[in-house]
Structures are given as structure tokens and as C-alpha cells.
Amino acid sequence: MKKKIVTLFLSAMMATSMLAVPAMADDATDAEAVAEEATDEAEEEAAEDVEEDAAEAAEDAADAIDLEGIDVENATIGISIYKFDDNFMTLYRTELVRYLTEDLGFNEKNITVTDGKNDQAEQTNQINNFITAGVDVMILNLVQSSSAPQVTDLCNEAGIPVVYINRQPEESESDRWAEEGIKATYVGADARQSGTFQGEEILETANGGDINGDGKVSYIMVQGDPENIDAQYRTEYSVKALTDAGVEVEELLLQRGDWDQAKGQQIVQDALTQFGDQIEVVFCNNDAMALGALQSIQAAGRVVNEDIYLVGVDALTDALQNIQDGNMTGTVFNDHIGQSHAAVEMAVKFLKDEEVAPVNMVDYIKATSENAADILALLQ
Ligand code: GAL
């Protein structure tokens, strides 16, 4: 439901910015007044539309997934998250369970959610327990995506379909599911898109990221877990967006921060000591690390959007708030609502013995000062 609202609202906002351009105003003051009025009216209309659509979307929610033939009261689902102590995956898992129970009517007692504690052996035990318990379907956020072949075989032998989320297994593995008719699928988002959006956000700044005007953009890169395809692609494609636009870049530092705020803070603190004003852009593979980076940037007396740029990914509430306040340049909405709903949709298809594509991707959405407040309002 929320996903639909976000999409509708963002289209409304795009219409708003088009309306805000005064066609034939004589002077600046008139133009501003016209623009302001147009913006106010359009915003009011957009807000009303959103409220109406929200009611409509609520009714649609149950229809979005065809539950006919599914015994929602008795269906059992095993869910394992790579670790509970991860900001983004906490939002994701909360929405996943909420959607299953509140919107679709699955019985909370039959849904088991376990904490993989960032330990593949521990998580594999949990999966074996799901098999022993004979769950109807699993939704798994693997600790190591490289263990997908082994886990898939375990589930397949037990006749239990599996929906992988967030950490994408190798393409050769998802190809195998399709070739061998194995009931496994992946739901996620293409991290090349989020990386590209981060790069574009830097290109869209007043000086395209070249604060000191020396003809190149000097950056540091705070990476997530490098085993993870999201970390690899965001690292590569954020910079690629700049070089594809013909911008010269200089990498001062690339360091892993494992998606963790405290690590992000430490890495950026050390980098600011080492490179000082040379750093023009801080790329973080996610918002948790960007929020840590922001703490160090402020402690060093640097000012985001004036003498340094900072971008993340996920659109955590704190990040959106900081963008709105001018303390972060941008982020990218990692749509945990769309992804969790799509994961459920695939699980339900498996339960109904329907065909499921091996890979299912949900779009990212760019989040900047222009739409941060709106996304924030909708996520709260
Ligand atoms: C990414 C997300 C990170 C972290 C990671 C875990 O998609 O941006 O914040 O949650 O997944 O695999």
C-alpha cells in the first residue's frame, strides 16, 4: 500500500515542479509570487490526492496479491535476516511482517523470523530447523550470498521453495534455478542504479563536485561489505556516473565500513585528518555509514554542500531529515516497501505452484533536497 502511495506522490511532485515554472512573468517578484502560489496550490492538491489515493490503495492492498487457494491462517513461513543489527534490514523485516499479517491476514504465530547474527553457520542451522519444522516457504536474507547453491539444494531436497532477498546470489546460480526448475527466486534492487544516482547527485551540485575548481573531483569511498554485490556495484557506478559525464576523478581512499555507522564515522574521521581539504566528496554505500561520516565531518568543522559533499543510499529517516536540513547532499531510496511486498508476492506464487521468474528487481528512487521532505512524510 505504502509503495503505491510513494509512487503516486512522486508523480504528483513532478507535476508540482512543472507547474511551479511561471510561464510569462514580467519581473522577478511577480515570477516568485506566481511560482509560490502555483507551488502552494499544487502542493495542496498533491496532498489531497495522496490522501484519496491512500484510502483507495488500502482497499487495493488485499487485491494486489491473489490469495485465492492460500490457507493464510495455517500457512507457515520461515524468515531469516542476515543480522538484526542493521538499520535498513530492520525497516525491511518490520514491513515484511506487517504486510504479511496486517494487510494479507497471515497468522503471526506461523511466521518465524530469525537473526542470522552475521554468521552463515548459525543461519544454516536456522534454515535446517525450518526444514525440520516443515515450513511451507522460506524468505532468506543470506549472510553470505555465496552459500546460495548449498542452501538452495537443502531447501529443494526438502521440497520447500525459497525467496532470497537483499543479497543477490551469483547469476550462474539463478540461471540454474530456471534451467532445473528449482523453486527459488531473488527479489532485490539493481545496485548499479543506486550507484549511478549517487554520482548524478554529485554532478547536479553547483560545481559538479569540483569544489576547489582544480578540474577534478577528489573523493573518498566508504564501502559496505565488499563480498556484497550492492557494495561492489555502488562503489563502481557512483564513480562511473562522473567519468561517463567526462569528469576527471581522484580516489583518495576506499575503505570497507561493513554498512556500519560507527565504522563510517571512524573511517571519515581518519580520512579528514589525513587528506583535509583535499576531500571534496564522501561517497558512502549506505546511509548508516553516511550518518557516521556526517558526525566526523561536523566535528572537523567542515560544512556539507559548502566545502564538502556527502551522499548515501537507503533513505533512512535520519538521512532524509539531514538532507532536508542541508547536512547531506543526497541519498537514494532503497524501497524496502516495494521489495518486501514483492518478496511476499513471490512466496505466495510458490505456494500456489505458479511460475516465478528467477530474478525480480524493484526500482530505486533518487532522494535530494527537492523531494526528501515528501519521502520523509510518507515513510513516517
Ligand atoms: C543494502 C543496504 C545496506 C545494508 C545491506 C545489507 O541494500 O543498502 O544498508 O542493509 O543491504 O545487505
Side-chain angles (χ1 to χ4, degrees):
M1 177 184 102
K2 277 189 188 160
K3 158 81 173 148
K4 186 168 175 191
I5 302 173
V6 171
T7 315
L8 287 166
F9 190 72
L10 290 172
S11 345
M13 285 316 291
M14 279 157 87
T16 304
S17 34
M18 280 165 4
L19 279 171
V21 180
M24 303 259 280
D26 292 347
D27 58 47
T29 324
D30 280 356
E32 272 164 29
V34 173
E36 223 170 85
E37 209 173 296
T39 308
D40 285 352
E41 276 172 25
E43 267 171 13
E44 266 170 40
E45 273 171 33
E48 280 166 20
D49 283 352
V50 169
E51 272 169 35
E52 278 167 28
D53 288 332
E56 212 181 283
E59 280 168 26
D60 288 354
D63 300 339
I65 292 188
D66 180 5
L67 292 168
E68 210 186 312
I70 302 283
D71 181 1
V72 284
E73 188 51 36
N74 294 306
T76 51
I77 306 178
I79 301 172
S80 180
I81 302 299
Y82 92 100
K83 63 170 183 171
F84 277 4
D85 179 21
D86 175 297
N87 308 40
F88 173 72
M89 285 314 301
T90 299
L91 291 175
Y92 192 126
R93 114 179 106 92
T94 307
E95 177 60 19
L96 186 59
V97 174
R98 191 207 63 76
Y99 184 58
L100 278 165
T101 55
E102 285 180 28
D103 285 1
L104 301 181
F106 282 87
N107 188 339
E108 195 152 11
K109 280 196 244 127
N110 295 328
I111 299 173
T112 311
V113 189
T114 62
D115 179 357
K117 297 190 180 143
N118 211 16
D119 177 345
Q120 188 56 60
E122 164 97 30
Q123 191 181 47
T124 304
N125 276 338
Q126 296 166 359
I127 293 166
N128 275 316
N129 290 339
F130 288 151
I131 291 175
T132 310
V135 297
D136 294 321
V137 63
M138 290 190 213
I139 299 179
L140 301 178
N141 170 211
L142 290 177
V143 173
Q144 281 166 349
S145 47
S146 56
S147 53
Q150 185 213 347
V151 172
T152 307
D153 286 344
L154 281 176
C155 296
N156 189 36
E157 278 156 30
I160 302 173
V162 52
V163 179
Y164 291 109
I165 55 168
N166 174 257
R167 297 189 151 186
Q168 187 172 9
E170 296 267 334
E171 212 180 308
S172 56
E173 175 61 4
S174 41
D175 287 350
R176 181 176 80 99
W177 308 334
E179 280 156 22
E180 299 180 16
I182 294 173
K183 287 191 172 191
T185 186
Y186 174 71
V187 173
D190 185 345
R192 286 172 286 203
Q193 189 185 39
S194 48
T196 304
F197 284 169
Q198 286 188 296
E200 286 176 3
E201 286 170 1
I202 297 302
L203 286 170
E204 284 156 16
T205 60
N207 41 31
D210 183 13
I211 293 170
N212 58 22
D214 66 352
K216 61 177 195 278
V217 172
S218 304
Y219 68 90
I220 60 168
M221 178 72 65
V222 188
Q223 204 178 25
D225 168 0
E227 198 241 5
N228 201 252
I229 194 85
D230 280 6
Q232 293 163 14
Y233 276 155
R234 287 177 196 164
T235 298
E236 182 185 347
Y237 280 77
S238 51
V239 175
K240 189 172 179 301
L242 297 182
T243 53
D244 281 356
V247 173
E248 197 185 319
V249 296
E250 176 188 25
E251 181 178 277
L252 298 169
L253 178 84
L254 180 152
Q255 206 168 321
R256 70 182 284 175
D258 295 307
W259 309 115
D260 182 78
Q261 176 158 352
K263 288 189 187 171
Q265 180 179 8
Q266 189 63 52
I267 290 166
V268 175
Q269 180 181 307
D270 294 346
L272 286 165
T273 307
Q274 189 179 352
F275 301 106
D277 287 348
Q278 273 179 276
I279 305 175
E280 294 168 298
V281 174
V282 180
F283 283 112
C284 295
N285 279 176
N286 77 345
D287 280 348
M289 297 188 296
L291 291 168
L294 178 60
Q295 290 171 289
S296 298
I297 287 170
Q298 290 178 329
R302 301 283 295 269
V303 182
V304 172
N305 292 337
E306 281 181 28
D307 61 29
I308 196 162
Y309 292 115
L310 172 65
V311 287
V313 175
D314 282 342
L316 297 181
T317 306
D318 282 358
L320 290 166
Q321 189 65 55
N322 276 304
I323 293 170
Q324 214 187 335
D325 297 344
N327 297 324
M328 262 178 77
T329 310
T331 185
V332 181
F333 179 38
N334 191 1
D335 184 358
H336 61 279
I337 300 164
Q339 289 173 56
S340 55
H341 294 196
V344 171
E345 193 184 334
M346 299 311 143
V348 166
K349 282 191 175 187
F350 277 139
L351 290 175
K352 291 166 63 177
D353 230 2
E354 286 177 6
E355 284 278 307
V356 171
V359 177
N360 308 274
M361 293 299 198
V362 172
D363 269 336
Y364 284 100
I365 296 170
K366 223 187 254 187
T368 63
S369 57
E370 279 172 28
N371 63 352
D374 310 316
I375 298 181
L376 194 56
L378 286 161
L379 292 180
Q380 272 165 352

